[in-house]
């Protein structure tokens, strides 16, 4: 079945630093999504990507749909304490009934 | 505002008891999903439903059951056959562009 490899698994950074994380798939995806989960809450959609090569921003967050359609990247610029949480990538191929999720990147920020 | 409501937020179960977790959505989404999340782990799919009166097993369906009698509702029953039910349970529904909206979760603890 389809698998997603998300890296890194965890990050420990200083406030103000930029963050980069990525996901790679064993197969081609038509949709890439990035979610953030705060402790004790459900994941919330940050950015959705629907076209190869697409670059989309949401405030300090920028995500890209890889040109090969097998990867995606999320960057966070100038991190702040409220960026702490778990970030999940997710993707699916055309006609799929469900998303495939990455294992998550846990972001910790030292003030 | 549209969204997904999970209840209760916290649930305690005695050994050998069945418990039912509620999930209601008013987003008019056809597809709904149940995930299990263990501490520090990713999301594992339990069951999903594409349409009323139909549902499919996910990756870890053993010890769980669901029903989908109404479009708005997708309750999950954790049966006594589930040997390690303590976890965080998340319900989601899906829009036409594959974006999932998640509920705020139910934390189940066996006492």
């Amino acid at each position: 079945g389809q698998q997603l490899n998300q890296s890194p698994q965890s990050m420990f950074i200083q406030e103000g630093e930029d963050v980069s994380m990525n996901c790679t798939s064993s197969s081609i995806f038509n949709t890439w999504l990035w979610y953030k989960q705060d402790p004790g809450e459900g994941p919330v959609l940050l950015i959705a990507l629907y076209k190869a090569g697409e670059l989309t921003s949401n405030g300090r967050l920028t995500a890209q749909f890889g040109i090969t359609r097998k990867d995606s990247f999320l960057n966070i610029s100038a991190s702040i304490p409220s960026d702490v949480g778990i970030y999940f990538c997710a993707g699916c191929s055309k006609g799929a009934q469900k998303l495939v999720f990455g294992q998550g990147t846990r972001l910790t920020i030292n003030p | 505002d549209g969204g997904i409501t999970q209840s209760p937020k916290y649930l305690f179960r005695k050994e050998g008891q069945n418990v039912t977790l509620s999930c209601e959505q008013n987003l008019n989404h056809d597809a709904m999903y149940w995930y299990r999340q263990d501490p520090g782990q990713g999301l594992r799919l339990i069951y999903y439903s594409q349409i009323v009166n139909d549902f499919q097993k996910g990756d870890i369906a053993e010890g769980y059951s669901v029903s989908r009698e109404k479009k708005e509702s997708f309750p999950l029953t954790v049966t006594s056959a589930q040997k390690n039910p303590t976890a965080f349970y998340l319900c989601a529904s899906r829009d036409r562009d594959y974006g999932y909206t998640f509920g705020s979760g139910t934390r189940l603890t066996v006492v």
Side-chain angles (χ1 to χ4, degrees):
Chain A
Q2 293 175 322
Q3 294 184 359
L4 278 186
N5 181 29
Q6 183 172 353
S7 64
Q9 288 187 335
S10 60
M11 302 183 74
F12 298 85
I13 63 169
Q14 297 294 123
E15 184 177 348
E17 287 185 13
D18 296 344
V19 171
S20 290
M21 58 191 80
N22 70 84
C23 274
T24 57
S25 168
S26 58
S27 56
I28 289 173
F29 280 168
N30 293 90
T31 299
W32 281 99
L33 306 166
W34 284 93
Y35 287 86
K36 184 197 175 198
Q37 184 180 27
D38 290 326
E41 298 294 327
V44 173
L45 182 65
L46 298 173
I47 293 178
L49 303 159
Y50 301 106
K51 254 168 120 169
E54 182 180 357
L55 184 72
T56 298
S57 293
N58 178 6
R60 292 177 296 104
L61 278 61
T62 301
Q64 184 162 25
F65 192 139
I67 199 72
T68 66
R69 294 164 67 191
K70 289 187 174 184
D71 57 6
S72 181
F73 304 86
L74 176 69
N75 295 318
I76 305 172
S77 63
S79 58
I80 60 176
S82 62
D83 291 334
V84 165
I86 303 175
Y87 291 80
F88 290 100
C89 63
C92 67
S93 51
K94 189 175 182 180
Q97 292 186 338
K98 55 190 187 295
L99 289 173
V100 179
F101 282 87
Q103 286 302 301
T105 296
R106 182 179 294 272
L107 180 62
T108 303
I109 298 176
N110 298 316
Chain B
D1 286 337
I4 291 191
T5 301
Q6 288 187 243
S7 62
K9 182 68 175 173
Y10 300 95
L11 187 57
F12 297 89
R13 190 194 94 171
K14 292 184 180 178
E15 295 272 359
Q17 279 185 340
N18 293 352
V19 289
T20 297
L21 284 58
S22 171
C23 179
E24 302 278 333
Q25 55 105 352
N26 60 3
L27 298 166
N28 200 33
H29 290 168
D30 288 315
M32 296 185 74
Y33 304 80
W34 273 105
Y35 288 89
R36 169 180 172 142
Q37 187 177 32
D38 292 289
Q41 301 298 312
L43 307 174
R44 291 191 289 169
L45 183 64
I46 304 173
Y47 267 100
Y48 63 104
S49 168
Q50 299 294 304
I51 199 167
V52 173
N53 293 323
D54 188 40
F55 48 83
Q56 289 80 38
K57 292 181 179 180
D59 301 316
I60 56 164
E62 186 175 350
Y64 300 98
S65 66
V66 293
S67 63
R68 187 85 187 277
E69 297 176 2
K70 297 186 302 181
K71 187 176 187 177
E72 300 79 17
S73 179
F74 191 39
L76 173 74
T77 296
V78 184
T79 74
S80 56
Q82 171 50 241
K83 296 307 177 189
N84 185 23
T86 294
F88 189 52
Y89 290 87
L90 286 162
C91 179
S93 68
R94 192 194 81 197
D95 63 30
R96 288 187 302 173
D97 294 324
Y98 290 95
Y100 283 18
T101 299
F102 284 88
S104 57
T106 293
R107 187 167 299 282
L108 174 63
T109 304
V110 173
V111 296

